[in-house]
Amino acid sequence: MTQSKALHPWDVALVYDSLARKTCGHTITWDRFQNVPQKCPFCDNPVIMVCDKLVGISQENFVLFKYNKQTFMLSLNHAKRRAWWDMRECTAQERIAYALGMNEANGLKVLCKGKVLYPNVNQTPTDISNQLIEISENDVENHHKKASLVVMGTRQGQGLHEPREGLFSILLGMGVKLIYDLFKLGCGTVVYLYSFVKRLPPPEEGRRNE
């Protein structure tokens, strides 16, 4: 990571060596698909707290959570649109997934005191988001020493995935499977015919002499 020159505040990370955010505070580029370094690349202090640029300016509409050994505080303002026609507001779970490079649908889990808050099929995404935001605000207002929300999940590119096969590999695999299936069919046919012939009664001697 290098000192950030990114324009969008979501692409800028402010790292601190304590939850109080009074020391360190250096700015680095936020790489969604890599872990935030354990130590600040500029002052070598341990990175305990990670914020985006907007949170560093204003603590409004944010989500606070712990991931691995670090605490994250992310703003939900100025959401990046998925497409120009998509005007929906960003939910807290979408913001978390985006920041950590996770798949929101099947690679993200948010817990609070051991209870899974997300995913939850019994609540709408907006209701879940509001709950996560409320818990986060309560942590800050009451000066809790650690975040109540804990995030778990596999980041994209870090899980075990089968490599994508090219067209040639797919066709080759289909051809090999076809040959194998035909071979099995041929062997089965030979075995069946052999068993059938073996069960036939031997010809009678009288009929042979006639």
Side-chain angles (χ1 to χ4, degrees), residues 35 65-72 100 102 149-155 158:
N35 291 326
F65 62 92
K66 185 175 182 180
Y67 176 73
N68 288 338
K69 297 181 179 180
Q70 296 169 325
T71 300
F72 291 77
L100 298 181
M102 292 183 179
L149 299 178
V150 176
V151 170
M152 301 175 63
T154 302
R155 306 179 77 169
Q158 296 184 4

Side-chain angles (χ1 to χ4, degrees), residues 156-201:
Q156 297 178 20
Q158 296 184 4
L160 297 177
H161 303 282
E162 294 182 359
R164 294 183 178 179
E165 296 181 324
L167 179 60
F168 176 77
S169 300
I170 295 174
L171 294 177
L172 180 61
M174 292 174 60
V176 171
K177 187 177 185 303
L178 178 61
I179 294 173
Y180 176 71
D181 290 340
L182 290 175
F183 176 75
K184 285 175 58 179
L185 179 63
C187 291
T189 303
V190 171
V191 172
Y192 174 79
L193 292 176
Y194 175 77
S195 301
F196 177 77
V197 172
K198 193 175 181 180
R199 288 197 298 268
L200 293 176

Side-chain angles (χ1 to χ4, degrees), residues 20-66:
R21 300 191 299 157
K22 293 182 179 179
T23 54
C24 188
H26 287 107
T27 304
I28 60 177
T29 302
W30 194 302
D31 190 334
R32 301 170 50 217
F33 303 106
Q34 291 185 9
N35 291 326
V36 176
Q38 296 297 316
K39 291 187 177 182
C40 175
F42 300 101
C43 63
D44 205 38
N45 286 333
V47 175
I48 306 299
M49 184 80 173
V50 184
C51 302
D52 61 29
K53 187 176 180 180
L54 281 177
V55 168
I57 300 173
S58 173
Q59 292 185 15
E60 294 181 0
N61 199 25
F62 62 88
V63 60
L64 178 74
F65 62 92
K66 185 175 182 180

